Amino acid sequence: IMPGCIMPGCIMPGCIMPAMAACCCCIMAACCCIMACCCIMACCCAACCCIICGCCAWPGAGYAGGAAAAAAPAPKRTFASKRDRALDLCHRAGMKEFAKLVDHDASFTRKHAATAIDSLSQSDSNTVAVEAGGFKAFVKLAKSKNPQVAATALWALVTITGIAYSGEDSDTQRQLVDEGGLDAAFALLTSDAHEVPVAAASLIGNIVLHDESREQVIERKLLKQLIGAASDAGDDNVELLRTVLVAVSNLASEEENMKAIKKADGIPFMLEHAKSDDRLVAQAALAGLANVANSQYQSVVVGKGVLPLAVSKLDAKDAITVRAAAQVIANLSLNADNRAAVLDAALKPLIKLSVTRDPRVQHCIAVTLNNLAQDAAARQTIIDAGGEPAVKKLMFSIDEDVRAESEALFKALTQKAAPPAIAAAKKRPALDRQSSKMFVLGMYEQLKAQQQQKKEREAGKELESMDVLLGKLADYLNGILPTPDIVVKTVKDVETQAGKNPRNDRAMREAGIQMLVSMIPEFETHPAIVNQVLQSLHVLVRLNPRNILEVAKVDISVEEFLKCLDDDAIDKLNVINLVGALADVENTRNEIVARDGISKFVRILRNPSTATDVQGSTLEVLAKLAIESDDSQSIIESKALGVIFNMLSSATSTDVQCQLLRLLSALTFNNRRLQQKIHDQGQISTIVQHMASSNFLIQEYAVRALLTIIAGDKRNKEAARKAGAVEALHKLLDSDTDMVMKSAVRCISELALSAPKNKEQFRKQQTLERLAALIDTSLVVSAKKSSKKKKKGADADDAAATTMPEMIDCTQTTYVLECISVLCNSIKLNQQTFLAVDGARAKVVSLLASSDLREVYHAIATLGSLVRDNPKAKKELLAAHPELTEQIARFTEHADKKIAQIAKITHGILLSDKGK
């Protein structure tokens, strides 16, 4: 491979196919040329300049490179002869080394090089056209005994075919095959020269992209020869191995080729090399296996361990490998027979991977989880493994399909129903075979982006680099001003570039965010510019939450954002969302309050013309401020309480109702004065009414609000009971949404605490029977497992060596036990009612062996509550479980002080004559 020259054909990092460049990095289609670590996309480039085809401004782009070349078209060139024009075309197309062959020492080489070059011209579709018979001269050079000449001729053919593919020029591909190019390439696979087989395989890889040529390879059974050449070379020619794998992967993208691939031992070939230590070899093989995983031979790769292999690649350092691995798993999950294995092997790694910002990987994760969620048991497994937070992350993807799929999945998980997206998932572009082929090429989206960039260049709309864009922002701030429309476009382009890759995002954080914030006061008389700046800042914060820290560092950010709230020409939603993000940062949160931001938000709520989405975002910001500061709580209470209840009575938007209830929860938390005020205004019934909503989110937030309003307040508990809270909460125990059911259980505990009438009312509603049914014993350690631990020398009381975690995000059973304990404590009728439920008593006793110490703690407490002040109940309990006293006694020596303390209390109750 020669410095400064095109080496299309080798697979390099960041790219798979066709005709890839060597050195450091390259991207797709046609060919690439590399200088140092720089690479330009599509077709080819020389030195540091991007020229030609697909996406570049050729002809006449020269070597100026970069934005300058695109901004100003090169002057029209004149040539003294046809040869000069063809030589210029060779240079611009990246075949500079081939052009040198006209001056070669050997007359044979000079003659055929001249013939080949004279046959070249530029086609109307910006591809390299070759006159009839012209390829024969190339083929003769490719068969030269001089390996350098042969390789140079082959690389030139790789470049021409790559450009032809990029320009959708099938005639050139067909002509090359007819004039002997395909036969020559296969014949040269066995050359002893290291580079010649690599170039030959690269040429075959490009040729088989053409349908007719691909059919010839299959019909003539040449595939086995291709794979055999790579296998024979092995580690002695890794470049050849990489290139052949890419060609086979491309062939695997068509279902009709799969039989031939299998006959040629292509599937074992890919499986073997997917485990390679060479990252690029493994990438190409894994991409091919993704195609096989969506074919009739799926079972072959499953039986050979492709699933654990793909899972092991999910934590790879490079994006291409991760994408291929995720696509293998997604394609396997389409088949219901594979889902149990996928669930077991890939669920946790995929959930861990959900933090990725790569839309293609996000899409594969969403599709896989959607497929797995078709089974009810699998849905619960996904939830238990942390699936809900993972899916929430995917809901913020920049890809619309990912957002749609993850939203449907989240709804399915929370409502315990199969997601509706499975039928469509099989048709999604990222999973069908055509897309798998484009994945090997470097992703279909990139090809479309090239075509779009070409159109934009032709129209003078090429997107400039981040450095150039930030330089323009600096000029605008220094008074070098174009028209407002151009300023708006520049800001929009900055936003677009920042989302393209992490490098642009870093540049944005280091300089761009400060400049964008500084533009708000600078262009305050131009609302269109300010609106675009605010929108772009909001998008940048959504794309990368760390960006809000950079916004917070700008001294004027809070002040300017709050000023924008007073300007009717400014879109309020972007401002409010930005202030909401700043409310998560302590210093800026305090500044928002100090600058009277709360009053501004309350005024927005009072405005009857405020849009519902603006209302929802405003309430969300106020809730954040109320949660974090007592001072903020007082200010909001004094200015917004009446507005909140007025809106709550009339709002129809789900988001607005949820945010209103969330704000009430924040305001009333540990706030006795406000609890009393809500009671005096008779508003508790309003909260209870919202608990009867058919929307599970409104139910959830209403229960939370009621919980904070009644906490520790007997008057409010009595008012809630009279308003129908007991009946409403009992109904919510049957909710299909776990979080609603859990919140209802916790609220019942609080409503019944120190409120005998409420306890009686719950008994009449048969709440105790429902709670008994909700007890889950799945975490109980079996006696068989305990005996194994004893044999290994472990303590019989395995939990005794550990400490109980905090009572945060507990299991459903923990909350249920706590609730039963409260309802039954010293209330004989309730005790007898619960103990009479078939199997309820045994469930509670069995939980003394739970692996979750919080369940153990509440099981001990519940057993004490069930017999406190009730000798008859105690006698029945001990008769059914004679070993119980001894079991509880062991916990009195527990390492966790809380468990030891509650065990001593319960143990004392069990030993006393009166059960006290």
Side-chain angles (χ1 to χ4, degrees), residues 784-804:
K784 186 175 181 180
K785 290 182 180 178
S786 296
S787 64
K788 286 183 179 179
K789 291 179 180 178
K790 287 181 183 179
K791 289 178 183 179
K792 293 179 180 179
D795 193 327
D797 183 6
D798 186 61
T802 57
T803 304
M804 181 171 61

Side-chain angles (χ1 to χ4, degrees), residues 469 473 476 485-497 508 516 519 523 528-537 540:
L469 292 170
L473 293 186
Y476 301 160
D485 288 347
I486 293 178
V487 178
V488 169
K489 182 183 182 303
T490 303
V491 175
K492 180 65 178 176
D493 289 348
V494 168
E495 171 196 321
T496 304
Q497 278 286 29
M508 188 71 239
L516 286 175
M519 289 177 73
F523 295 97
I529 295 176
V530 175
N531 277 324
Q532 182 59 60
V533 168
L534 292 168
Q535 178 185 320
S536 295
L537 284 170
L540 292 170

Side-chain angles (χ1 to χ4, degrees), residues 74-115:
K76 186 175 181 180
R77 299 185 180 193
T78 57
F79 300 97
S81 66
K82 180 182 178 182
R83 172 72 56 82
D84 288 342
R85 182 183 297 277
L87 287 171
D88 176 74
L89 178 59
C90 284
H91 280 264
R92 289 186 292 116
M95 297 187 293
K96 184 166 60 175
E97 291 302 315
F98 185 78
K100 292 178 182 179
L101 294 182
V102 295
D103 298 320
H104 197 272
D105 294 339
S107 60
F108 173 87
T109 301
R110 290 197 305 271
K111 174 186 173 182
H112 291 295
T115 303

Side-chain angles (χ1 to χ4, degrees), residues 295-584:
S295 76
Q296 59 180 316
Y297 296 108
Q298 182 186 88
S299 59
V300 176
V301 292
V302 171
K304 296 292 184 180
V306 74
L307 178 57
L309 173 63
V311 171
S312 70
K313 298 289 185 180
L314 289 177
D315 59 356
K317 301 295 183 184
D318 64 285
I320 297 293
T321 300
V322 176
R323 289 172 188 169
Q327 191 159 4
V328 169
I329 295 167
N331 281 346
L332 290 177
S333 73
L334 289 173
N335 187 336
D337 295 339
N338 298 328
R339 287 175 191 161
V342 172
L343 185 72
D344 184 54
L347 177 59
K348 289 183 179 179
L350 287 175
I351 287 174
K352 180 180 177 183
L353 188 61
S354 63
V355 298
T356 180
R357 293 174 58 199
D358 187 331
R360 300 178 187 97
V361 178
Q362 289 174 334
H363 179 62
C364 288
I365 295 172
V367 169
T368 304
L369 293 180
N370 261 293
N371 290 334
L372 296 178
Q374 297 305 300
D375 180 74
R379 286 196 293 276
Q380 187 58 50
T381 303
I382 293 171
I383 294 169
D384 294 342
E388 288 187 41
V391 176
K392 282 183 180 178
K393 293 170 189 170
L394 297 177
M395 288 164 67
F396 289 95
S397 171
I398 60 174
D399 185 275
E400 290 184 10
D401 287 340
V402 176
R403 289 200 302 271
E405 267 177 350
S406 53
E407 285 169 6
L409 177 57
F410 183 74
K411 185 176 180 181
L413 293 178
T414 53
Q415 295 186 355
K416 298 183 178 179
I422 183 63
K426 293 182 179 179
K427 300 176 183 178
R428 294 197 189 285
L431 291 177
D432 65 18
R433 293 186 192 90
Q434 180 61 22
S435 151
S436 297
K437 172 180 175 180
M438 294 305 181
F439 176 89
V440 177
L441 298 176
M443 287 303 187
Y444 183 54
E445 290 81 5
Q446 288 184 351
L447 186 59
K448 288 195 296 186
Q450 282 187 340
Q451 295 167 346
Q452 181 61 30
Q453 286 170 5
K454 177 184 174 184
K455 292 178 182 177
E456 290 179 351
R457 279 189 171 89
E458 291 171 351
K461 297 179 181 178
E462 180 187 3
L463 193 62
E464 295 162 302
S465 70
M466 180 62 84
D467 289 341
V468 171
L469 292 170
L470 294 181
K472 286 188 174 184
L473 293 186
D475 288 343
Y476 301 160
L477 289 169
N478 289 326
I480 305 174
L481 294 176
T483 64
D485 288 347
I486 293 178
V487 178
V488 169
K489 182 183 182 303
T490 303
V491 175
K492 180 65 178 176
D493 289 348
V494 168
E495 171 196 321
T496 304
Q497 278 286 29
K500 279 193 167 184
N501 64 59
R503 190 175 302 169
N504 284 337
D505 187 44
R506 284 196 297 273
M508 188 71 239
R509 284 203 303 275
E510 290 168 2
I513 286 177
Q514 181 168 358
M515 284 193 280
L516 286 175
V517 175
S518 301
M519 289 177 73
I520 296 174
E522 188 71 26
F523 295 97
E524 60 183 355
T525 58
H526 296 279
I529 295 176
V530 175
N531 277 324
Q532 182 59 60
V533 168
L534 292 168
Q535 178 185 320
S536 295
L537 284 170
H538 182 219
V539 169
L540 292 170
V541 170
R542 275 178 42 223
L543 287 174
N544 186 350
R546 289 183 298 172
N547 285 339
I548 196 60
L549 299 177
E550 299 301 321
V551 176
K553 289 178 184 176
V554 184
D555 292 339
I556 63 171
S557 59
V558 172
E559 179 183 2
E560 292 303 325
F561 291 162
L562 292 179
K563 280 183 182 178
C564 288
L565 292 177
D566 297 325
D567 189 341
D568 291 337
I570 301 300
D571 182 358
K572 300 288 189 296
L573 189 59
N574 286 321
V575 185
I576 294 166
N577 287 328
L578 284 167
V579 176
L582 286 172
D584 292 324

Side-chain angles (χ1 to χ4, degrees), residues 587-606:
N587 292 339
T588 50
R589 180 170 60 244
N590 296 336
E591 187 180 351
I592 292 168
V593 177
R595 290 186 178 277
D596 203 22
I598 291 174
S599 297
K600 293 178 182 288
F601 287 123
V602 173
R603 280 201 296 273
I604 291 172
L605 291 179
R606 284 178 174 157

Side-chain angles (χ1 to χ4, degrees), residues 865-907:
S865 296
L866 287 172
V867 299
R868 187 189 296 271
D869 296 332
N870 193 336
K872 181 181 176 182
K874 184 187 75 169
K875 184 177 179 181
E876 291 175 357
L877 178 64
L878 293 178
H881 301 279
E883 76 292 348
L884 185 59
T885 304
E886 184 180 344
Q887 278 184 280
I888 300 295
R890 289 207 305 273
F891 283 103
T892 61
E893 302 298 326
H894 199 280
D896 188 280
K897 293 180 180 179
K898 291 181 180 178
I899 291 180
Q901 184 179 9
I902 195 66
K904 288 175 184 177
I905 294 171
T906 298
H907 189 251

